[in-house]
């Protein structure tokens, strides 16, 4: 470029300039607009001669081929059709004393807007930088780690002194708060601003207005100049992080020195911002999925407990205790290990209900369940068999030891006083596993033993070891 970067910075702001944003651009590049049929130039910036050797007056009304050359127009049309962000020309229109340019195209409906910017300041290995920083962003395991790596990438690739990320959900410090026009602007996804540079006016031919909303040379809001001046910063980079609503998330970099970022560098920054946004969305969805899975697991556990638990006594219900007995009996049969079953019934329970009411009867059932549970090991299983009947599955227990356990429980229950009933007793039947026993046979034998205990006067223990 003929002038130094001190005067030719990307993205200028001049609060004192009384020019509409659509009527001026930033000074480090030029703009040419033509109809979407590529017939004639209808817009040109005042600094066009510096880049293409033609004044705006000479360019307006001419065909794009007269300004860009036939080869340049063909290359641009092919780039636009292929979705390329632009092309690089070593020199403009073959002029030896003119700067090499990067040409970007934006189709706006009725028009095509061409932006020309100098090639200088472009790193030689941008694909390598993109691959390296993209991999680091993709490997971030948390939102905070992702933000830290994105800040590192922006500082490394731009050379700016400071960088911060601002999101609506957590706000920002008052010292970093941007003007509202920046948050709500429909302008480019990336702005560069310099408080010292003046705008370049646009020349237009008669006809429809050329829309410059997406033009990378579009002027930033004047209020941004005041924001930079408050921080004694000359240059600023504002990058849209492309994150999902609500609000607009931005990366803000600023520097006391002038900064110029060539279009390929800016394209890389936009690509990294989009990659970070995708990674952030993935991390957010992963976190939501884990949270939903945890809630689902908790609800399933609660439902399973409700399905397996007797609501009154909080013991295993009959369905669950039958499953447990099936499992323990199969395990004992396979290992030829002992297994005992205790079946006990609260004595005169109908009289308790009739005399004191069902609420008292429920309280008796709950207290009996707690007393019985206190005598058992962690490996034993207590469940409500039905009504006032309870069952205990005791793995690894021979018949003599099972009888001793039943007697301990029987005596403890007889010593327990439950108001207003007083003494409450139970009758116990004990049976041990025999070869070939099924669950039904084993429980029936315990039930028969309990019946013998009832016949013997209640509040006692009887057992059956052999087949019934």
């Amino acid at each position: 470029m003929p002038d130094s970067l001190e005067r030719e910075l990307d993205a200028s702001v001049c609060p004192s300039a009384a020019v509409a944003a659509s009527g001026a651009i930033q000074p480090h590049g030029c703009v040419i607009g033509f109809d979407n049929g590529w017939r004639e130039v209808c817009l040109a910036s005042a600094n066009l001669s510096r880049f293409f050797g033609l004044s705006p007056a000479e360019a307006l009304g001419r065909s794009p081929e007269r300004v860009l050359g036939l080869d340049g127009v063909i290359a641009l049309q092919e780039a636009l059709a292929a979705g390329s962000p632009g092309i690089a020309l070593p020199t403009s229109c073959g002029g030896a004393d003119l700067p090499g340019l990067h040409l970007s195209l934006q189709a706006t409906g009725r028009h095509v807007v061409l932006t020309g910017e100098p090639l200088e300041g472009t790193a030689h290995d941008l694909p390598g930088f993109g691959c390296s920083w993209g991999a680091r962003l993709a490997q971030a395991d948390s939102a905070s780690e992702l933000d830290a790596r994105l800040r590192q990438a922006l500082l490394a690739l731009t050379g700016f002194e400071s960088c911060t990320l601002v999101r609506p959900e957590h706000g920002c410090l008052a010292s970093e708060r941007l003007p509202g026009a920046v948050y709500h602007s429909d302008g480019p996804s990336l702005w560069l601003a310099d408080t010292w540079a003046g705008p370049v006016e646009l020349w237009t031919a008669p006809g429809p207005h050329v829309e410059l909303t997406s033009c990378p040379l579009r002027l930033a809001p004047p209020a941004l100049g005041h924001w930079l001046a408050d921080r004694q910063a000359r240059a600023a980079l504002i990058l849209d992080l492309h994150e999902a609503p609500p609000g607009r998330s931005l990366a803000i970099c600023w520097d006391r020195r002038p900064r110029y970022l060539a279009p390929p560098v800016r394209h890389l920054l936009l690509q990294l911002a989009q990659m970070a946004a995708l990674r952030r969305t993935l991390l957010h969805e992963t976190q939501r999925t884990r949270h939903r899975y945890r809630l689902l697991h908790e609800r399933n556990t609660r439902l399973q407990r409700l399905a397996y638990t007797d609501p009154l006594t909080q013991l295993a219900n009959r369905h669950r205790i039958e499953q447990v007995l099936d499992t323990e009996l199969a395990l004992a049969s396979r290992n030829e290990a002992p297994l005992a079953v205790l079946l006990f019934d609260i004595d005169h329970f109908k009289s308790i209900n009739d005399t004191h009411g069902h609420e008292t009867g429920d309280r008796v059932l709950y207290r009996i369940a707690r007393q019985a549970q206190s005598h058992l090991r962690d490996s034993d299983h207590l469940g409500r068999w039905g009504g006032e009947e309870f069952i205990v599955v005791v793995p690894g227990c021979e018949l003599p030891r099972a009888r001793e356990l039943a007697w301990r429980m029987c005596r403890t229950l007889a010593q327990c006083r439950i108001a207003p009933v007083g003494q409450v007793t139970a009758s116990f039947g004990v049976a041990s596993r025999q070869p070939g026993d099924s669950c039904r046979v084993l429980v029936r034998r315990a039930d028969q033993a309990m019946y013998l205990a009832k016949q013997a006067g209640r509040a006692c223990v009887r057992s059956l070891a052999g087949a019934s």
Side-chain angles (χ1 to χ4, degrees), residues 1 3-5 8-10 28 99-102 117-126 129 156-160 192 258-269:
M1 297 174 62
D3 300 327
S4 70
L5 291 181
E8 307 285 340
L9 275 187
D10 198 3
H28 68 276
L101 294 178
H102 184 281
E117 297 179 70
L119 283 173
E120 62 185 83
T122 304
H124 294 294
D125 191 23
L126 285 182
F129 284 128
L157 292 173
T158 65
F160 277 78
L192 285 164
R259 290 292 177 191
Y260 173 75
L261 300 178
V265 179
R266 302 205 304 267
H267 296 157
L268 177 57
L269 296 180

Side-chain angles (χ1 to χ4, degrees), residues 367-368 370-375 404-418 422-426 428 459 461:
R367 288 286 302 278
I368 292 297
R370 301 283 73 76
Q371 286 289 339
Q373 187 72 62
S374 66
H375 288 272
E404 292 175 6
L405 172 62
W407 272 113
R408 286 197 303 273
M409 296 173 65
C410 183
R411 294 188 186 102
T412 300
L413 293 178
Q415 295 171 1
C416 180
R417 296 293 186 270
I418 303 176
Q423 184 186 45
V424 178
T425 62
F428 285 76
V461 177

Side-chain angles (χ1 to χ4, degrees), residues 126-136 268 272:
L126 285 182
F129 284 128
C131 182
S132 175
W133 282 111
R136 297 184 198 183
L268 177 57
L272 292 177

Side-chain angles (χ1 to χ4, degrees), residues 213-268:
T213 300
S214 300
C215 177
L217 298 181
R218 183 184 179 190
L219 290 178
L224 186 58
H226 300 296
W227 184 89
L228 290 172
D230 290 342
R231 287 147 190 82
Q232 297 181 347
R234 172 172 176 177
L237 164 70
I238 302 174
L239 177 64
D240 194 331
L241 296 181
H242 301 282
E243 295 177 2
R248 192 180 187 193
S249 298
L250 302 171
I252 311 168
C253 302
W254 63 87
D255 203 308
R256 290 169 294 179
R257 299 161 296 173
R259 290 292 177 191
Y260 173 75
L261 300 178
V265 179
R266 302 205 304 267
H267 296 157
L268 177 57

Side-chain angles (χ1 to χ4, degrees), residues 181-383:
V182 176
Y183 285 109
H184 305 295
S185 172
D186 58 354
S189 297
L190 185 149
W191 274 343
L192 285 164
D194 173 22
T195 55
W196 293 6
V200 174
E201 294 184 356
L202 295 174
W203 290 43
T204 60
H209 173 72
V210 180
E211 178 59 55
L212 295 178
T213 300
S214 300
C215 177
L217 298 181
R218 183 184 179 190
L219 290 178
L224 186 58
H226 300 296
W227 184 89
L228 290 172
D230 290 342
R231 287 147 190 82
Q232 297 181 347
R234 172 172 176 177
L237 164 70
I238 302 174
L239 177 64
D240 194 331
L241 296 181
H242 301 282
E243 295 177 2
R248 192 180 187 193
S249 298
L250 302 171
I252 311 168
C253 302
W254 63 87
D255 203 308
R256 290 169 294 179
R257 299 161 296 173
R259 290 292 177 191
Y260 173 75
L261 300 178
V265 179
R266 302 205 304 267
H267 296 157
L268 177 57
L269 296 180
L270 288 169
Q271 182 181 4
L272 292 177
Q274 292 168 352
M275 183 176 295
L278 291 174
R279 182 61 179 171
R280 189 178 181 86
T281 300
L282 178 60
L283 290 172
H284 178 66
E285 289 301 321
T286 300
Q287 185 179 19
R288 289 182 59 187
T289 300
R290 288 174 179 169
H291 177 67
R292 290 172 180 171
Y293 177 81
R294 184 167 58 253
L295 289 179
L296 181 61
H297 177 71
E298 291 173 355
R299 290 172 183 173
N300 285 341
T301 301
R302 195 178 306 121
L303 289 173
Q304 188 179 55
R305 179 174 176 79
L306 291 174
Y308 287 165
T309 303
D310 173 60
L312 176 60
T313 63
Q314 295 303 301
L315 300 177
N317 59 20
R318 179 158 182 165
H319 173 67
R320 179 56 180 163
I321 203 67
E322 284 180 338
Q323 290 180 333
V324 171
L325 181 57
D326 280 339
T327 301
E328 294 292 353
L329 182 59
L331 187 61
S333 300
R334 184 165 61 249
N335 298 329
E336 297 184 357
L339 175 69
V341 170
L342 283 62
L343 196 65
F344 64 95
D345 179 276
I346 300 175
D347 296 329
H348 306 295
F349 185 73
K350 183 177 183 304
S351 176
I352 294 174
N353 273 337
D354 293 343
T355 303
H356 301 284
H358 289 281
E359 185 175 346
T360 298
D362 291 346
R363 187 161 63 250
V364 168
L365 290 171
Y366 181 81
R367 288 286 302 278
I368 292 297
R370 301 283 73 76
Q371 286 289 339
Q373 187 72 62
S374 66
H375 288 272
L376 303 179
R377 307 168 298 177
D378 291 341
S379 58
D380 300 334
H381 310 279
L382 173 63

